[in-house]
């Protein structure tokens, strides 16, 4: 019975156990229903409340009591303890479509009831001001507050709050507690609005409230309730240069000095805001004077001296703001004098000594070192102000109307308003002069544009109509006379005889006659003409100018045009005369180099150039910067500036002295005579018995060499000073020199101390290149990347020219361990490619022509120092089935900037591909006629310049108005293109100018898109993007080194006189490009993380030719793939931060175009 009872009891027990869970679920459901009901009722109440507010504004806006009651009710809901009520009310206010904020602002502006205004400002404060704390709900609410602030700004809420604040302060009635509370709320509302409103400072200034804000700050800087929003507002005003000037005149620096003293040294947000505002104020030089006079600089250093008592990110921010302010103070003499006291220098040096060895402190250390070097007594470079590389232009200018010097580029070309540690602006839009352009085009400023780019009659029309320069640039301001252009048909012999050219142009133009025909008739009537077929530029320029451009009359034979067909391979270059076709390359190179005319006499031929100049074809990883090594070098630089007497300064190499006429057995008596033969005996030197020396030996008197002075400062440490460009005292970057007497396995430190760029790829992985003669003899011939402990920083040497006394040079430093004792090594910025190498390569190609190829090398013109500038024509032989006159023309140029030797290596690859014995090359020659000027700035290349030639002018800023006397290569190259456009009536299908880029990696294009132009007239013309995007897209598919994401097609005003924009705008060549190759390496693609070498660059030149093979205006088959490349793959290849959806993006780092 017991078992049965127990068995019967079990079924009854189970339902009893299930009662509790069911009851709990029912309770939860009931409570949820109640909360939902309550929430719905609350939402209804809130909606009803805002409806009443809307009705009040529409029907009875003057009913003060009603407005007070409604706003009081809304305010009570926002301050309720019930979070559901608060959240519901906030969501109604945040809802843009509810119009609640607009109604509240309207009531606030019209109401004179202090209670109503206080309620409204309290509501706005809760709605707009961010709340501190953590949590998902709080974060979401703060995001909504930020969005609401932007909507509030859009409805002109900032102006309403500022006007209300002014009204309270100017109210003559008796002040009471409610007005103080109202003022406090208004300031707290303005603080987030100022941070979100980009035009906040302008709005405050237009309402006349700038001095009012300062007045409030002076009266309440000890008031803990409003000091924080006041400091936020003042920081926003300090960002604007106009409001900064107003506040400085109003004595804001004295106010901040008192605030700093009252705040003490406690690291609070208030202290950080103060320092941030002072940092912005100190960008004004008048403010810097006041900081010194008020003693605020001393207060800042006292705060900085306690840096080790601060913690976390607050310490980094406080120190960074103080150091930036001190850097600004160093821009004025009084500021440097105030900081250059023993106590202050010790404070800064103490930070260097005790700075933690952590990455986040590296930037602070660099700033401290910069401040120390800037505030100490500036050292002048230990060289004469005048460079030995001076070229007298007066004989060339004699008898012409040309003036020189032209308007030189301003001295602030290399000015650097960025901090030493800043690199962020180098990859994106840059606010300073360096970021706009490496060497800006000062010919296009407002005053000079009118005189240089607009005819006088056009200028008057433009000024009267009120139009800008935009409407004038559509008229080619320097369009040459047709009679002047006709002479260029002598450079198009491949199109046949004169009569044939006349018939072709006539048939193509389908006109009554030919301009060529008219020209020939007019030439027949010219007296004293030996032959109508013997045309020279003297008929256009005059005898004197022609002699300057083409040399003596003996060179005119190269411009005679013969009726007979041209040979398939012909070099009429004078420098190739009397060279045996059986001579080895080294002998040919030495022969050509001996004929080259230079400004500074050469004493030898560089061994790497004589042997071909290639790099070793091995992968070379980018340099990984060693933080510890860079810190040590920074501290060493500071120590050298503080204690110069502790270092040895012994001059090892001085080019100034060598050029001054001192006796040097290696210097030839006269290098103008072609009988002097330059050679190289490095192999004999390294074979001699080893002799050990305590110091290195240097040399740079060879083609493209650049080293002015070498000073030994330590047992194995040398300071090197580079030569400026000819007739200049600036533009130092390119270096190329020889080193001897080294010892194996010992690191030598080289400090190049007169660099000018604000930053360099040396800080981002680039290494210099080295060539060892002993390695070459052993069979490991070629340039290699070399160097360790590489870094780039500012030093204490100041600019030589007077206007930049407060600007200091920068140092690139690296350690080199030479592979052999008593070797002869060469160090360079990049793989050199000399003028003689180019001429030797052209000679070499002319001897190895494939069957059916057409090559003609001729002298386009002569440089200012009477060196030949070659023009190369490449195509296939003329055949009846493929007439040469029907082929499209590709026009290529390179090396307008002599320091960009990588551009010549790319051009070498292009020429090698075109003249190769391959089916692809034969097809390309049969499709196009190539006109190539492989080296535009031969004088700059010969003399080791970085940017300019003999006239101290950037030739790529002279395309708009080139001078036939001062810029012959640009003048005649542009003339050839203009001849094709206006006379031959067949513009080039593609124009591309090869360049090098010192701030970006990879290979990429700059093109021209009207939709991306600065000029509104360009944007009104319908674009054909597929035309100018097709070639970059093809390169993206073909070349592993090409980065489509780095391409830019923006047309900027300061680029108007470059080759790319001039050919695109004035000569109407749609596909006008600049191809940029990095000096450094790759950060994307299959070669990511590795350096560029000469093989990569030559391959890029060949890849460009392959892309031209696929180029076709009617190539609809590839349109889909192009779209995929531009809109799909570019997103993968783009750098972080670049737009993945469009290749037509702004790229203001186009510093080498």
């Amino acid at each position: 019975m017991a078992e049965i009872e127990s068995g019967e009891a079990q079924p009854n027990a189970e339902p009893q156990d299930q009662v509790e869970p069911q009851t709990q679920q029912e309770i939860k459901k009931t409570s949820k229903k109640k909360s939902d009901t309550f929430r719905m009722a609350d939402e209804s109440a809130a909606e009803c409340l805002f409806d009443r507010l809307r009705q009040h504004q529409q029907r009875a806006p003057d009913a003060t009591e009603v407005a007070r009651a409604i706003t009081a009710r809304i305010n009570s809901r926002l301050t309720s303890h019930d979070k559901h009520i608060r959240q519901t009310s906030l969501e109604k206010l945040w809802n843009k479509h509810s119009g609640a904020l607009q109604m509240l602002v309207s009531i606030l502006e019209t109401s004179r009831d202090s209670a109503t205004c206080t309620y409204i400002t309290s509501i706005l404060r809760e709605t707009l001001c961010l709340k501190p704390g953590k949590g998902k709900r709080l974060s979401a609410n703060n995001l909504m507050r930020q969005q609401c602030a932007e909507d509030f700004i859009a409805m002109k809420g900032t102006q309403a709050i500022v006007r209300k604040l002014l009204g309270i302060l100017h109210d003559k009635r008796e002040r009471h507690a409610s007005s103080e509370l109202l003022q406090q709320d208004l300031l707290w509302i303005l603080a987030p609005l100022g941070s979100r409103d980009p035009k906040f400072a302008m709005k405050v200034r237009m309402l006349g409230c700038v001095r009012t804000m300062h007045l409030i700050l002076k009266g309440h800087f000890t008031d803990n309730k409003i000091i924080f929003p006041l400091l936020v507002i003042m920081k926003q005003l300090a960002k604007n240069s106009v409001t900064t000037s107003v506040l400085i005149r109003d004595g804001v620096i004295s106010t901040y000095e008192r605030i700093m003293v009252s705040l003490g040294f406690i690291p609070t947000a208030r202290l950080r805001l103060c320092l941030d505002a002072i940092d912005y104020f100190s960008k004004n030089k008048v403010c810097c004077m006041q900081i010194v006079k008020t003693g605020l600089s001393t207060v800042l250093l006292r705060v900085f001296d306690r840096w080790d008592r601060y913690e976390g990110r607050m310490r980094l921010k406080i120190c960074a703001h103080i150091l930036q302010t001190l850097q600004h103070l160093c821009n004025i003499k009084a500021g440097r004098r105030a900081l250059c006291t023993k106590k202050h220098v010790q404070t800064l040096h103490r930070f260097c000594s005790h700075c933690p060895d952590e990455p986040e402190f590296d930037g602070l250390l660099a700033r401290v070192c910069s401040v120390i070097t800037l505030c100490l007594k500036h050292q002048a470079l230990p060289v004469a102000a005048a460079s030995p590389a001076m070229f007298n232009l007066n004989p060339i200018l004699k008898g012409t109307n040309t003036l020189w010097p032209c308007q030189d580029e301003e001295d602030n070309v290399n000015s650097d308003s960025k901090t030493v540690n800043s690199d962020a602006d180098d990859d994106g839009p840059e606010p300073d002069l360096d970021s706009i352009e490496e060497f800006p085009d000062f010919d296009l400023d407002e005053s000079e544009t009118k005189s240089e780019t607009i005819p006088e009659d056009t200028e008057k029309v433009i000024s009267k109509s009120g139009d800008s320069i935009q409407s004038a640039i559509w008229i080619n301001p320097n369009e040459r006379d047709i009679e002047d252009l006709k002479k260029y048909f002598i450079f198009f012999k491949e199109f046949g005889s004169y009569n044939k050219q006349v018939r072709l142009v006539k048939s193509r133009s389908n006109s009554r006659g030919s301009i060529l025909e008219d020209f020939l008739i007019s030439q027949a009537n010219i007296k004293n003409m030996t032959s109508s077929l013997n045309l020279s530029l003297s008929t256009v320029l005059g005898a004197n100018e022609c002699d300057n451009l083409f040399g003596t009359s003996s060179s005119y034979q190269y411009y005679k045009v013969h009726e007979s067909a041209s040979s398939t391979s012909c070099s009429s270059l004078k420098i190739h005369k009397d060279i045996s076709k059986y001579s080895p390359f080294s002998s040919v190179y030495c022969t050509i180099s001996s004929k080259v005319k230079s400004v500074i006499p050469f004493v030898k031929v560089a061994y790497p150039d004589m042997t071909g100049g290639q790099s070793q074809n091995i992968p070379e990883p980018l340099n990984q910067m060693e933080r510890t090594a860079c810190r040590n070098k920074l501290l060493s630089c500071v120590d050298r500036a503080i204690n110069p007497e502790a270092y040895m300064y012994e001059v090892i190499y001085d080019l100034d002295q060598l050029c001054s006429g001192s006796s040097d057995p290696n210097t030839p008596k006269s290098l103008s005579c072609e009988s002097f033969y330059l050679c190289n005996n490095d192999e004999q030197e390294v074979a001699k018995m080893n002799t050990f020396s305590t110091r290195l030996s240097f040399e740079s008197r060879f083609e493209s060499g650049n080293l002015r002075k070498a000073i030994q400062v330590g047992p194995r440490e040398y300071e090197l000073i580079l030569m400026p460009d000819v007739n200049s005292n600036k533009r130092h970057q390119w270096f190329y020199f020889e080193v001897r007497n080294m010892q194996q396995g010992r690191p030598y430190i080289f400090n190049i101390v007169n660099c000018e760029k604000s930053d360099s790829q040396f800080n981002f992985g680039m290494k210099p290149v080295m060539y060892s003669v002993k390695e070459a003899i052993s069979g490991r011939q070629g340039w290699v990347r070399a160097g360790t402990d590489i870094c780039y920083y500012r030093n204490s040497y100041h600019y030589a020219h007077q206007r930049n006394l407060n600007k200091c040079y920068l140092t690139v430093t690296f350690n080199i361990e030479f592979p052999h004792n008593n070797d002869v090594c060469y160090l360079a910025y990049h793989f050199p490619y000399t003028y003689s190498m180019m001429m030797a390569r052209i000679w070499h190609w002319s001897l190895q022509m494939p069957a059916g190829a057409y090559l003609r090398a001729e002298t386009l013109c002569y440089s200012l120092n009477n060196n030949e500038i070659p023009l190369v024509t490449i195509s296939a032989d003329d055949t009846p089935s493929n007439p040469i006159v029907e082929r499209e023309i590709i026009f290529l140029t390179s090396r307008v900037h002599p320091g960009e030797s990588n551009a010549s290596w790319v051009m070498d690859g292009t020429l090698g591909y075109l003249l190769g014995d391959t089916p692809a090359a034969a097809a390309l020659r049969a499709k196009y006629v190539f006109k190539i000027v492989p080296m535009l700035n031969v004088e700059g290349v010969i003399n080791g310049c970085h940017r300019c030639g003999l006239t101290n002018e950037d030739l790529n800023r002279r395309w708009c108005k080139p001078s036939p006397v001062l810029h012959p290569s640009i003048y005649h190259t542009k003339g050839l293109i203009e001849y094709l456009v206006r006379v031959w009536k067949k513009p080039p299908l593609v124009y591309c100018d090869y360049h090098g880029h010192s701030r970006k990696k990879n290979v990429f294009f700059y093109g021209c898109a009207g939709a991306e132009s600065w000029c509104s007239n360009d944007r009104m013309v319908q674009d054909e993007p597929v035309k100018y995007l097709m070639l970059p897209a093809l390169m993206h598919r073909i070349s592993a080194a090409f980065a489509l994401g780095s391409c830019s097609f923006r047309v900027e005003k300061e680029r108007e006189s470059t080759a790319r924009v001039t050919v695109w705008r004035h000569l109407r060549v749609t596909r006008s490009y600049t191809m940029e190759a990095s000096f450094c390496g790759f950060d994307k693609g299959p070669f990511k993380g590795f350096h560029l070498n000469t093989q990569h660059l030559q391959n890029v030149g060949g890849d460009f030719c392959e892309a031209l093979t696929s180029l076709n205006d009617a190539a609809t088959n590839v349109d889909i793939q192009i779209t995929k490349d531009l809109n799909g793959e570019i997103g993968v290849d783009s750098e972080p931060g670049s737009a993945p959806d469009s290749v037509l993006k702004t790229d203001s780092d186009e510093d080498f175009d």
Side-chain angles (χ1 to χ4, degrees), residues 722-829:
L722 304 181
M723 283 283 292
D725 285 359
V726 177
N727 287 340
S728 175
N729 56 7
K730 54 187 176 182
R731 302 185 186 93
H732 311 86
Q733 175 173 306
W734 171 260
F735 59 87
Y736 183 21
F737 55 88
E738 171 200 290
V739 185
R740 295 172 181 256
N741 300 333
M742 67 284 294
Q743 296 181 30
Q744 178 186 1
R746 296 190 176 185
Y748 290 85
I749 303 173
F750 296 99
N751 305 317
I752 300 175
V753 297
N754 61 335
C755 301
E756 295 175 331
K757 290 195 172 187
S758 62
D759 212 339
S760 169
Q761 281 292 313
F762 282 120
N763 272 344
F764 303 97
M766 190 172 87
K767 294 182 179 182
V769 295
M770 183 181 74
Y771 191 105
S772 166
V773 174
K774 282 192 173 182
E775 287 285 295
I777 295 173
S778 303
R780 294 180 293 274
Q781 180 175 309
W783 291 94
V784 295
R785 297 282 180 168
T788 57
D789 299 349
I790 303 170
C791 55
Y792 191 82
Y793 54 85
R794 192 169 298 281
N795 58 45
S796 59
Y797 288 117
H798 69 76
Y799 281 43
H801 31 294
Q802 187 175 358
R803 281 181 290 178
N804 277 336
L805 280 176
N806 61 329
K807 299 298 180 182
C808 288
Y809 288 107
L810 293 101
T811 295
V812 56
T813 176
F814 48 87
N815 296 2
I816 295 287
E817 286 193 22
F818 295 102
H820 301 281
N821 286 324
N822 293 314
D823 196 359
V824 177
C825 292
Y826 293 82
L827 295 173
Y829 180 81

Side-chain angles (χ1 to χ4, degrees), residues 383-632:
V383 291
S387 164
M390 302 300 290
F391 183 79
N392 185 12
L393 292 170
N394 291 328
I396 296 174
L397 301 176
K398 187 177 180 181
T400 70
N401 295 324
T402 308
L403 298 178
W404 189 88
C406 301
Q407 179 67 31
D408 193 16
E409 294 167 330
E410 296 178 10
D411 288 336
N412 60 1
V413 165
N414 295 296
S415 65
D416 178 25
S417 59
K418 291 188 290 187
T419 57
V420 174
N421 191 48
S422 174
D423 178 56
D425 291 336
D426 279 336
D427 293 329
E430 297 187 17
D432 62 351
L433 293 175
D434 274 347
S435 63
I436 296 170
E437 186 177 2
E438 186 63 21
F439 294 98
D441 180 18
F442 292 101
D443 289 330
L444 285 174
D445 58 39
E446 207 166 314
S447 62
E448 293 181 2
T449 305
K450 292 182 178 179
S451 62
E452 290 194 16
T453 62
I454 306 177
E456 293 180 3
D457 53 347
T458 310
E459 182 182 342
K460 294 178 181 178
V461 176
I462 293 172
S463 60
K464 288 180 180 178
S465 63
D467 294 337
S468 66
I469 187 178
Q470 298 182 15
S471 57
I473 60 176
W474 280 70
I475 306 170
N476 189 345
N478 303 293
E479 195 172 80
R480 291 164 65 176
D481 186 16
I482 288 293
E483 295 298 326
D484 185 26
L485 288 175
K486 294 173 191 174
K487 63 181 180 288
Y488 288 108
F489 65 74
I490 60 179
F491 295 107
F492 296 90
K493 302 185 185 79
E494 64 274 9
F495 295 147
S497 65
Y498 297 143
N499 295 331
K500 186 176 180 180
Q501 291 192 41
V502 170
R503 291 194 301 270
L504 288 169
V505 174
K506 184 177 179 180
S507 62
R508 189 185 302 117
S509 60
N510 196 21
S511 60
R512 292 179 298 178
S514 168
I515 52 179
L516 280 174
E517 187 176 27
D518 297 337
F519 172 65
L520 290 176
I521 294 172
S522 65
Q523 290 296 314
N525 298 325
I526 297 177
K527 295 182 180 182
N528 301 324
M529 194 72 178
T530 57
S531 171
S532 63
L533 302 181
N534 185 4
L535 300 175
S536 70
L537 293 184
S538 59
T539 59
V540 179
L541 302 176
N544 289 331
E545 294 184 27
C546 184
D547 287 343
N548 290 331
L549 290 174
F550 293 106
T552 61
S553 59
S554 62
S555 64
Y556 293 166
Q557 58 182 316
Y558 304 122
Y559 298 93
K560 294 180 181 180
V561 181
H562 303 282
E563 293 291 339
S564 60
S566 301
S567 60
T568 57
S569 176
C570 173
S571 174
S572 60
L573 296 172
K574 184 180 178 181
I575 206 166
H576 290 162
K577 186 179 180 182
D578 300 330
I579 298 179
S580 171
K581 64 180 181 180
Y582 302 107
S583 301
F585 184 87
S586 58
S587 175
V588 173
Y589 185 91
C590 292
T591 302
I592 292 175
S593 185
S594 300
K595 298 179 182 180
V596 172
K597 300 173 181 64
S598 61
V599 175
I600 293 176
F602 296 151
V603 299
K604 64 178 296 185
V605 168
Y607 187 88
D609 306 328
M610 185 182 71
T611 56
Q614 290 274 1
S615 66
Q616 294 184 13
N617 193 16
I618 55 175
E620 297 175 295
L622 296 175
N623 179 56
Q624 298 296 324
M625 181 179 287
E626 293 289 337
R627 290 182 45 256
T628 304
C630 289
R631 278 177 166 240
N632 293 336

Side-chain angles (χ1 to χ4, degrees), residues 1022-1075:
Q1022 187 173 1
D1023 249 346
E1024 293 183 83
V1026 71
K1027 281 195 173 183
Y1028 55 80
L1029 294 178
M1030 187 181 295
L1031 189 58
L1034 291 170
M1035 280 292 288
H1036 175 62
R1037 295 201 315 227
I1038 294 170
S1039 178
F1042 192 80
L1044 188 63
S1046 298
C1047 294
S1048 172
F1049 296 85
R1050 188 174 180 86
V1051 180
E1052 297 173 315
K1053 184 178 179 180
E1054 56 270 19
R1055 299 292 190 277
E1056 279 296 328
S1057 58
T1058 61
R1060 170 176 60 92
V1061 180
T1062 300
V1063 172
W1064 170 76
R1065 182 184 301 288
H1066 296 309
L1067 302 180
R1068 298 290 185 262
V1069 178
T1070 304
R1071 296 184 177 94
S1072 180
Y1073 303 100
T1074 296
M1075 180 157 60

